Amino acid sequence: MRDRIAEFIREKAYRPMNFAELAQALAIPEKQHEQLRKTLEQMERAGEVVRTRTDRYGAPERMNLVVGRLQGHPRGFGFVVPDRPGAEDLFIGREGLNGAWHNDRVVARILPPAFGGGRPEGEIIRILERANPRVVGTFETSGHLAFVVPDEKRLPDDIYIPKGMTNGAKSGEKVVVQITQWPDGRRGAEGRIVERLGMKSDPGVDIVSIIRKYGLPEAFPANVMREAEQVPEAVTEEAIREAGRRDLRSWTIVTIDGEDAKDLDDAVSVVRLGRDRWQLGVHIADVAYYVPEGSALDREAYKRGTSVYLADRVVPMLPPRLSNGICSLNPGVDRLTLSCVMEIDGEGQVLSYEIFPSVIRTAARLTYTQVNRILAGEPGAARGVEGLVPLIQEMATLMAVLRDRRMRRGALDFDLPEAKVRLNEQGWPTDVLRVERGEAERIIEEFMLVANETVAAHCANRDLPLMFRIHEAPAADRIAGLREFLGLFGYTLRVGPDGSVTPRDLQRVTEWCRGRPEENLIESVLLRTMRQARYSEQRLGHFGLAAENYCHFTSPIRRYPDLVVHRVLRAHLQHKRRLPGKLKAKLERILPEAAEHCSERERVAMEAERETIELKKAEYMADKVGQRFAGMISGVTPWGFYVQLENTVEGLVHVSTLTDDYYHFHEDHYALIGERTRRRFRLGDRVVVEVHQVDVENRQVDFLLDSQDEVQTAEPAPRAGRQRAARKAAAAGRPEPDPPARKGRSKAGGESTARFDMWGLPVPEHKVRGRQAVDPTVTNPFSLNRPVAEVGAGGRGEVRQPSRLVRRSRRRATARSQEEDS
């Protein structure tokens, strides 16, 4: 009935109807009117239909309304991200929030632009679902008033705590507050303290605050723990004799993981079958055998969605008895697995494969560091595992074959550095390290990728309902921006008539920029152009991998979607011809909601993990005030530029601290340029900075530019009348080609020496400094630590579009310049 209603109200000829008219139009008999009423109420709560003041129902998109999730901003405004795919985000000013908070599901009315043209704005008219029933913050008192300042800066206001609701909290203490009165536009929010976490300076309180902020469940419920205790600690003979399970304990199988990993859910084996043929086995923990569908363990795993790896701890999806015990592929013990064994040729093509339940006994627990040292030929690296060296070398050979095949079909491979924080026993950071991918990491990555693709193709070819991992092509507007950006460096991106590109088109960009000073910058901008991967019941392919079929099969201990894939495979192995109709219908019904839930839990986990890393980075830098570091400019804004140090710590050099000149943001060239000195700070430039101050609570590091630092100067930005080659050269920081002689432009009849500033106005000769030589070692990691900012009114971490007045003044300046030229 729900689908029928949704389809009917979106018909072109439909007009808003009341309940009676809708029932009559749908031919719903009177005995089903109560069911119709309940269905309409559910659809209204979900934002699928909107009921007007006259009790008429309609489709929101046809009533000048947008339904979606509100993304707040620390400066008080926000954006509604529509539920409808492809729809543009709607800007909401602070006065239009009407009591809505960050992450609430809302209905917004679209308003006409204030001055005609420009981006549409809106206002919240209804809140469908509150996202922050509990808020973590700092308890403060002022006279007789008590309130909580939220840790989440995107929540716009403090929360008032009435007398008697403080739970004994002290000023400066971290607390959890339960909202008792939501804001409504005229009055603020009220709440009561339900948990006291400790003073801000107490060890461990910082991480616990983040755990509470994101609602990450730490302790498992009692019924879940009771079920976990009933799981055997060792594999039983009954499990080994399960129908269809194969005994692979005689195979040489190993795990390769990080030194501190405890949940080992994947193991691999490689055997050379001939000159250009290998047998690759990917053996994944058979978690589905121990976690029955619908059990307390399963319900809790679904609720969590994923394990969360914070800076100092893991919040696991499954209890440690399973994740670190019976399901973990520990060395020298029997473990149940689901194996995907593939025969692969010298071109990286999977010639044949089998998927089946198995029992294995891994020969060794290898680490990435150990395998990288063995492959590098370091003396003593293979001590204790000498017999596995030929296997490791064979793995490296097969990895190269698989990677070459993936690259040939156009897959994108971004090798950007990650950060690892070392902590002492008190949880205080002692070092921040830049972690690069080595051969060992690539081996596991390629083996897992080919297994995931093989399983997804197997299920797709048999029309099995599955939770696919999809990555959609970039939006046309993002591609247009990327094309314009690449044009600054002299590269013309091929774009289809509809504004689309293929993975191979973008791979050509990475090949073209390899070894150039702008390599890291361009790869980073490419990555930010991509959409975020997600889970879906639809087989839409994976753009970044250039794969038609892809799913997550290899990590069922820590990802619920992998567990779903395992259950589908086990059901298929039991019913090889076809799934029972009832089971298939059930999967098709639950998969869309499960995919959306798992995607959301993954996003929450990523945000929590990123925030704990940023917190520990700030704590690490807190005692480094006054110290000097070398770094690269990773972002340029109107209010300054961000510098990323070698250890990936990032901080801001505010424009107000550049006291030698007036600096202006040149958005087309990603640079700040001095008005008088022509001093230039551009993405990718190397600079030396001094730590000025650190705000641990807000995870912010402020730098000062070192007074002795040598920074390039820039030629004035080319304007109208300049050659295309000159514009590109100036933008990319390359020497400008000699301009051809133009008639009548100089007193002697030769070349013109006139120069123009960034607004197109003539610059006197004595004010122009010569450009210094370009440093060929310049690279640019273009920060990935900071989330992509929304367009707004300006501020820290925000990318601002030029205002209408600025654009108008630029057009006028260009026109004046053209008049003077002619």
Side-chain angles (χ1 to χ4, degrees), residues 642-667:
Y642 292 92
V643 176
Q644 191 176 79
L645 308 184
E646 288 298 321
N647 60 5
T648 75
V649 170
E650 188 177 58
L652 174 70
V653 176
H654 199 274
V655 68
S656 64
T657 65
L658 304 174
T659 57
D660 64 328
D661 202 349
Y662 291 106
Y663 284 86
H664 302 278
F665 176 51
H666 203 270
E667 60 176 342

Side-chain angles (χ1 to χ4, degrees), residues 292-488:
E293 185 177 3
S295 64
L297 279 168
D298 179 51
R299 292 194 302 272
E300 182 67 16
Y302 176 81
K303 177 183 174 183
R304 296 178 178 226
T306 180
S307 296
V308 186
Y309 296 84
L310 304 177
D312 67 341
R313 72 194 74 186
V314 177
V315 180
M317 185 180 79
L318 296 171
R321 184 179 176 91
L322 278 77
S323 60
N324 299 350
I326 190 64
C327 292
S328 183
L329 307 182
N330 300 325
V333 294
D334 295 346
R335 288 293 183 259
L336 302 184
T337 50
L338 200 57
S339 296
C340 178
V341 179
M342 298 154 280
E343 184 178 335
I344 300 172
D345 66 11
E347 296 297 315
Q349 187 71 35
V350 178
L351 303 177
S352 62
Y353 66 88
E354 287 186 281
I355 302 172
F356 53 87
S358 56
V359 57
I360 68 169
R361 183 181 296 163
T362 57
R365 183 205 186 289
L366 304 176
T367 67
Y368 292 131
T369 302
Q370 183 182 19
V371 172
N372 283 328
R373 292 180 60 211
I374 291 172
L375 292 173
E378 293 186 19
R383 186 174 294 112
V385 292
E386 290 85 355
L388 297 176
V389 172
L391 170 65
I392 292 171
Q393 293 171 340
E394 206 66 68
M395 287 180 177
T397 302
L398 179 55
M399 178 273 292
V401 170
L402 290 171
R403 189 173 186 277
D404 285 346
R405 176 176 178 269
R406 199 161 56 83
M407 293 299 104
R408 285 197 305 272
R409 74 185 186 197
L412 301 172
D413 189 16
F414 299 108
D415 193 10
L416 296 170
E418 297 181 359
K420 182 178 179 61
V421 182
R422 287 181 177 171
L423 307 174
N424 60 20
E425 294 180 356
Q426 289 74 39
W428 190 259
T430 58
D431 202 359
V432 178
L433 306 173
R434 186 187 188 98
V435 180
E436 308 280 357
R437 281 191 305 169
E439 290 289 289
E441 288 86 350
R442 293 183 185 277
I443 286 171
I444 296 302
E445 179 181 295
E446 293 298 333
F447 289 1
M448 298 305 113
L449 286 174
V450 71
N452 286 337
E453 283 188 52
T454 301
V455 168
H458 175 84
C459 295
N461 293 338
R462 287 154 182 78
D463 195 28
L464 299 175
L466 198 71
M467 190 183 294
F468 292 95
R469 180 70 168 179
I470 67 170
H471 184 220
E472 295 150 294
D477 60 336
R478 290 291 186 96
I479 292 298
L482 176 65
R483 185 182 189 184
E484 183 179 348
F485 168 77
L486 292 173
L488 297 176

